[in-house]
Amino acid sequence: MERNMNVNGREYNFATTYDGDSQYNVQVRSGNKVVTMFKIAADSESDVFDAALAHFAADVEMGNINV
């Protein structure tokens, strides 16, 4: 699944794939550039995007990702 979401006024594309055991692989892109990839634990597909957005926004806020 994919969804476009805004973080600090910039739009990013979040793509997720199910990895098993309630784990999802998340790839965040800005245009054609992959910004980061990480795994998220979520109970359902509907929860994964909220968790991924929170994870990515926290990484940006802490300076772990330069965008």
Side-chain angles (χ1 to χ4, degrees):
M1 289 182 41
E2 291 188 27
R3 185 178 294 173
N4 292 329
M5 296 187 280
N6 287 309
V7 176
N8 292 341
R10 294 185 65 184
E11 187 172 288
Y12 296 94
N13 177 269
F14 288 72
T16 64
T17 55
Y18 187 66
D19 193 25
D21 296 327
S22 298
Q23 292 283 315
Y24 290 84
N25 293 314
V26 179
Q27 182 183 73
V28 182
R29 293 184 310 247
S30 177
N32 291 330
K33 179 185 174 194
V34 175
V35 177
T36 189
M37 295 181 351
F38 52 88
K39 289 188 180 239
I40 285 287
D43 292 329
S44 68
E45 239 176 18
S46 62
D47 296 334
V48 72
F49 285 107
D50 291 335
L53 180 61
H55 179 97
F56 180 69
D59 275 350
V60 169
E61 183 73 25
M62 292 178 9
N64 295 336
I65 298 174
N66 296 322
V67 290

